[in-house]
Amino acid sequence: MSISKRSLLAMADGAIDSYQTQISYLETEMAMVEEASRSVADATGEARQHAAAQLITDPDAVDIAQIARETGAARLNTVLVDLKATRDERARRLQFVQEQAKFRDREALINPETGSYSLEIIRYSNVVKDLGQDMEPFAFKDFQWLFKRQVHRPAERGAFGKFLRVVTLSSMRENRALKQVAERLPGAFEDHAARYEALSEEMARHQAELDRWKEKHAEVVRLVREEAELRRKLASFEREAVDELRDKLVNHLTIADPEALHAQIRPSLRPTIAELAALKHKRSYFKDLKAFLSAEITNREQRISSIGQVMRKWRRSKRWYFPDKSKWLVEVPEIKRKSLAKQLGLVRTIRINLDQYDRYEDFSRLMTGMAATGAPFLAYDAFSLGAQARMPYEGFARMALPEVNDFRRRHHQDRADLGFYRKTLRSNRKLAFHDADWSLDLDDDDDGGYDEYEDKEFEDFLETAAAAYLLAEATEVIEEASFYDPDPDPDLDSAEAAAALAEIDQVEHLAEDLS
């Protein structure tokens, strides 16, 4: 069946619009995942601060040594030694300052009203001020210019010097300036210059004395301030040492493995360390979700690119009718749209469940209980147990989160054994635990914590749904491949067919993993 070039190009534009709309949906969800990831990063920093605050409450050497052993932060001991050495050095410096004669006599020296240094500063300041007033009549341009040229001190000049004065009209300019000076200062310029010179020399002497007394005053002030600062630091040593040790511990927690730390930390701190472990896995899962969404965006972009390449060839072609490509340009975009709607719903469920999970005491009990029994522990399963809404089926989780797929394959698991997680949690807690509304109440007086038959029935349902979804995805991709013309036009490439075959291979590999 043939179709006109105009209709074909219109369908191609519609397919591109559909894929661009899908990309916008993916980018919107990507932004939500990134926001959740940033929130987790902020919570991680707060959790590290909280853990450090709980562990370090005072700079006691015995406590710090114990904390260093528990956390593996061996540098805490060195930091404490350095802090105490600094404290001792400050104590010695404080004693030295307090023994200085100038510090002991500080009241008699720098008291603003009666101190000898203060009085000398006041006296010389007044003298300098008076001299400044006496010199003020000479502070105008013409006088200062003539004084700098030493007009009041005639000098012997050679022939060349006289020649320069004639060329530069120096005599004329000096006479004009002398006339201006005479108008403001009656009398001989030489007398005024001698007076100004004497005042300048006297000003310099008194200014030097003023600066000397100011420096002596400042030296005492520095001793007083240093003494006050040393006393403050010694008085606040414990608080500042705790802050410094906490900062070092926070830096260590940034690089430490929270799972290993959880096993060796004191029981009272395990929930906080478990929170760090949970947040670490949240960041990892959000990273995987972003990678999944990014791959879907790339898939749509490649489809747009493929259609665009073919459209350019169609436009250049002299033919007016072509084979019908409505399946590739209409049906496939619709299939991808429906598939994307399902995938975004599943991604959104994982994102919201991870973002809202805050049962870190239960997370800690699960980590402890699973480690005690030697059973493998997967954070995703712990999140699933405490999720507000049921997590997506196993097949999608394994596809979107590589850690889940790797864990299942490594431990030969077909799916999560949440029943075992519930039993482990129940045996490692003292308070009643109420799971989400879709799970069973785990009161201490029940006989098993959950209904074996109902739990298995639900897991079978999930497994069937996973297989059905996988089959649907494979069918969609295979059908899409069949939409390509087996005998394409010679002026068109087969990039779209190659892309479809690559997707078929991807689905087949996933099917092998799930089988």
Side-chain angles (χ1 to χ4, degrees):
M1 179 180 178
S2 298
I3 188 171
S4 67
K5 180 191 291 189
R6 177 180 296 180
S7 299
L8 201 59
L9 291 174
M11 287 191 294
D13 287 333
I16 291 176
D17 289 342
S18 176
Y19 287 136
Q20 288 176 338
T21 301
Q22 293 174 38
I23 289 175
S24 69
Y25 292 152
L26 287 163
E27 289 175 340
T28 299
E29 182 59 29
M30 175 81 81
M32 299 296 289
V33 173
E34 289 175 346
E35 177 63 26
S37 183
R38 286 191 292 269
S39 176
V40 168
D42 294 340
T44 300
E46 294 175 0
R48 292 184 186 127
Q49 295 285 350
H50 182 57
Q54 284 184 297
L55 279 166
I56 300 178
T57 57
D58 62 71
D60 181 80
V62 176
D63 290 343
I64 297 301
Q66 175 63 26
I67 294 168
R69 285 193 296 271
E70 290 184 40
T71 61
R75 177 151 175 74
L76 289 179
N77 294 318
T78 304
V79 171
L80 181 59
V81 170
D82 293 343
L83 288 171
K84 289 187 174 181
T86 301
R87 179 195 59 185
D88 296 341
E89 177 61 28
R90 287 170 177 167
R92 288 191 292 270
R93 176 64 182 174
L94 176 63
Q95 182 179 0
F96 173 79
V97 170
Q98 291 175 338
E99 290 175 351
Q100 297 296 301
K102 291 181 179 180
F103 176 79
R104 292 197 306 269
D105 300 336
R106 59 190 180 280
E107 182 66 21
L109 297 175
I110 63 173
N111 184 283
E113 297 179 356
T114 61
S116 59
Y117 290 175
S118 300
L119 293 176
E120 289 296 323
I121 290 173
I122 293 172
R123 183 169 72 87
Y124 279 102
S125 295
N126 291 332
V127 172
V128 169
K129 181 180 180 181
D130 293 339
L131 288 172
Q133 292 176 348
D134 293 341
M135 295 174 68
E136 187 173 351
F138 306 102
F140 61 97
K141 180 180 178 181
D142 294 313
F143 180 88
Q144 294 296 322
W145 182 73
L146 291 170
F147 186 82
K148 290 179 180 178
R149 291 176 65 86
Q150 299 287 303
V151 173
H152 57 291
R153 292 177 181 172
E156 293 294 331
R157 296 183 177 87
F160 183 73
K162 293 178 180 179
F163 172 75
L164 286 178
R165 286 181 59 80
V166 172
V167 171
T168 58
L169 304 177
S170 296
S171 297
M172 184 180 68
R173 290 187 292 123
E174 289 174 357
N175 290 333
R176 185 167 58 244
L178 287 170
K179 183 178 180 181
Q180 295 294 330
V181 171
E183 291 178 357
R184 300 183 62 171
L185 299 173
F189 177 78
E190 290 77 5
D191 296 339
H192 294 309
R195 171 65 175 162
Y196 180 75
E197 190 171 34
L199 289 173
S200 297
E201 292 175 355
E202 189 176 1
M203 171 70 83
R205 289 195 306 273
H206 286 85
Q207 185 64 52
E209 283 296 306
L210 176 60
D211 292 342
R212 186 173 69 84
W213 286 108
K214 283 184 175 180
E215 177 58 31
K216 293 167 71 70
H217 184 279
E219 182 181 359
V220 179
V221 171
R222 284 194 296 270
L223 287 175
V224 172
R225 290 177 177 174
E226 183 182 5
E227 191 269 348
E229 181 66 11
L230 289 169
R231 282 191 294 103
R232 185 194 67 78
K233 288 183 176 180
L234 288 172
S236 62
F237 166 75
E238 183 171 321
R239 176 177 54 80
E240 293 183 355
V242 166
D243 290 342
E244 180 69 16
L245 290 167
R246 285 176 178 175
D247 288 342
K248 298 301 181 184
L249 182 55
V250 167
N251 293 338
H252 173 74
L253 293 177
T254 303
I255 60 175
D257 179 15
E259 282 86 355
L261 188 58
H262 183 270
Q264 61 194 38
I265 202 72
R266 63 192 68 175
S268 61
L269 266 295
R270 285 178 183 170
T272 302
I273 302 302
E275 180 179 358
L276 288 174
L279 293 171
K280 171 187 173 183
H281 286 289
K282 283 186 180 184
R283 292 198 305 274
S284 176
Y285 293 151
F286 283 139
K287 181 180 179 181
D288 290 339
L289 289 179
K290 287 192 291 184
F292 174 80
L293 294 171
S294 179
E296 292 297 315
I297 291 174
T298 301
N299 175 274
R300 269 66 178 180
E301 290 174 342
Q302 290 173 346
R303 291 173 182 276
I304 291 174
S305 176
S306 177
I307 294 173
Q309 292 175 8
V310 176
M311 287 178 69
R312 287 191 290 273
K313 294 180 180 180
W314 284 337
R315 288 192 177 100
R316 290 195 302 268
S317 176
K318 297 180 179 179
R319 298 171 55 185
W320 289 99
Y321 290 90
F322 295 85
D324 185 6
K325 299 289 184 179
S326 59
K327 291 186 177 181
W328 178 44
L329 298 175
V330 178
E331 296 183 26
V332 171
E334 181 63 15
I335 290 174
K336 299 301 292 184
R337 185 190 66 79
K338 292 179 179 178
S339 175
L340 178 63
K342 291 185 290 185
Q343 291 176 339
L344 288 179
L346 299 174
V347 169
R348 192 176 299 111
T349 297
I350 295 177
R351 170 176 59 81
I352 293 175
N353 282 340
L354 294 178
D355 191 39
Q356 294 181 346
Y357 183 90
D358 59 358
R359 297 182 174 184
Y360 299 117
E361 290 189 2
D362 290 338
F363 198 92
S364 176
R365 294 186 183 105
L366 283 171
M367 291 178 68
T368 302
M370 302 294 270
T373 60
F377 174 76
L378 179 63
Y380 179 81
D381 291 343
F383 294 143
S384 298
L385 187 63
Q388 296 296 320
R390 185 175 295 128
M391 283 290 200
Y393 67 93
E394 184 73 17
F396 182 80
R398 295 181 67 171
M399 179 174 63
L401 306 175
E403 179 183 314
V404 176
N405 188 47
D406 293 342
F407 183 88
R408 300 283 187 251
R409 296 181 65 181
R410 187 168 62 252
H411 297 287
H412 309 289
Q413 293 182 352
D414 294 329
R415 61 193 179 195
D417 187 358
L418 296 185
F420 181 74
Y421 275 70
R422 293 188 186 99
K423 286 183 178 180
T424 302
L425 182 59
R426 183 174 179 273
S427 63
N428 284 276
R429 60 196 278 174
K430 297 179 180 178
L431 300 177
F433 172 66
H434 298 283
D435 214 340
D437 57 359
W438 53 270
S439 64
L440 297 179
D441 191 10
L442 300 181
D443 292 331
D444 289 339
D445 58 353
D446 66 12
D447 56 357
Y450 67 100
D451 189 313
E452 294 282 355
Y453 176 78
E454 183 177 340
D455 189 72
K456 184 177 186 303
E457 185 180 56
F458 175 64
E459 295 295 342
D460 288 340
F461 164 75
L462 288 182
E463 188 175 69
T464 303
Y469 183 82
L470 178 61
L471 178 60
E473 287 291 305
T475 301
E476 289 172 1
V477 175
I478 293 171
E479 287 179 352
E480 182 181 341
S482 68
F483 293 160
Y484 298 102
D485 207 343
D487 185 20
D489 297 329
D491 60 337
L492 302 180
D493 59 30
S494 59
E496 59 271 22
L501 292 175
E503 288 197 33
I504 293 174
D505 290 339
Q506 180 182 2
V507 173
E508 287 177 347
H509 287 311
L510 180 60
E512 291 177 2
D513 290 341
L514 293 179
S515 64

